[in-house]
Each structure stands twice: as structure tokens, then as C-alpha cells.
Amino acid sequence: MGRYLICDVERMYGVKRHVLRRWESKLPLFSPDKDYQGRRYYGERDLETIVRMKHLVYDRGLSEEEAARLMLSGTEAGLANVASLTELREIRELLENLYLLLKKRDMKGSYGTDEQ
């Protein structure tokens, strides 16, 4: 079982140290071991939690609290809900872009000549 310092975790997963500390203090998801000098040592379970949390927050766009609640519930329904929310956000973004394109087209007229 590996033991990783916070700088190692930051390099491996791209999550800044202050974010890791915030997740540790505010969210009851993981608690790295600390030595007598206060250095944090993350184990394999901690790394799994960080990877899941990073995915939910950075990739899926959930707030830290939403992601923590989902992880604590541990239900598959919750994970399906995350996937559904992500799909809905992507659809919404596509619709917004389409709306802006159509609005721009109406303001400028058509995008070219009609070919028949």
C-alpha cells in the first residue's frame, strides 16, 4: 500500500493542495494520516476518493457539496442521476448555442443565398 504526500497527489491528479485540504476539512470523505510534523500521507483509499471527487466536481460540474453527498450515499441511482444531469447540461448548452446562432442569423439575415 502506497503512501503519498500532498505534493505527490497534486502532481498525479492535478488537484491543487488547497483544494485537497478544503475537501479534507469540509467533507467527511477521507482523512489522510499525519506524521508528527503534520505532513499528510494519502493511502490508496484516499486516492480513490480524490479521483472520484475530482471527476464529479471537475468533469461533471457538480459542486463539492453535491459530489460529497453523492459519494456518501453510494447508490447507483445517485450515479445514474449524475449522468442524467450531465447529459441535460450538455443538451442545454447545445440548445443555447443553437439559439444564439439562430438569433445571430435573424439579426444578419440568412447565411447566404438559397441554392435550388
Side-chain angles (χ1 to χ4, degrees):
M1 183 168 150
R3 289 175 43 126
Y4 304 90
L5 291 169
I6 196 168
C7 61
D8 300 326
V9 176
E10 181 181 29
R11 266 190 303 249
M12 290 186 318
Y13 299 109
V15 178
K16 298 289 184 188
R17 295 173 198 197
H18 70 276
V19 174
L20 292 168
R21 287 188 204 102
R22 184 173 63 236
W23 289 355
E24 177 188 339
S25 67
K26 290 187 177 182
L27 310 170
L29 296 172
F30 62 94
S31 181
D33 295 330
K34 293 181 183 175
D35 67 9
Y36 69 96
Q37 293 179 326
R39 286 185 293 231
R40 290 165 169 80
Y41 289 95
Y42 296 88
E44 298 299 325
R45 285 186 79 114
D46 295 327
L47 296 182
E48 290 172 12
T49 301
I50 290 166
V51 168
R52 288 177 58 208
M53 188 71 176
K54 178 185 175 194
H55 174 71
L56 293 172
V57 173
Y58 293 166
D59 299 335
R60 299 287 189 174
L62 297 177
S63 71
E64 291 175 348
E65 291 77 17
E66 290 172 326
R69 204 174 12 238
L70 180 66
M71 289 174 62
L72 288 171
S73 73
T75 63
E76 291 302 314
L79 294 175
N81 189 27
V82 170
S84 297
L85 287 174
T86 301
E87 289 176 10
L88 287 174
R89 285 184 180 139
E90 291 171 358
I91 291 169
R92 180 179 181 183
E93 186 177 321
L94 289 171
L95 289 172
E96 287 174 353
N97 289 336
L98 181 60
Y99 170 78
L100 292 173
L101 283 172
L102 290 173
K103 187 174 178 181
K104 187 186 290 186
R105 180 180 180 201
D106 286 344
M107 291 173 62
K108 289 185 179 179
S110 66
Y111 279 117
T113 60
D114 293 332
E115 295 181 20
Q116 294 181 1

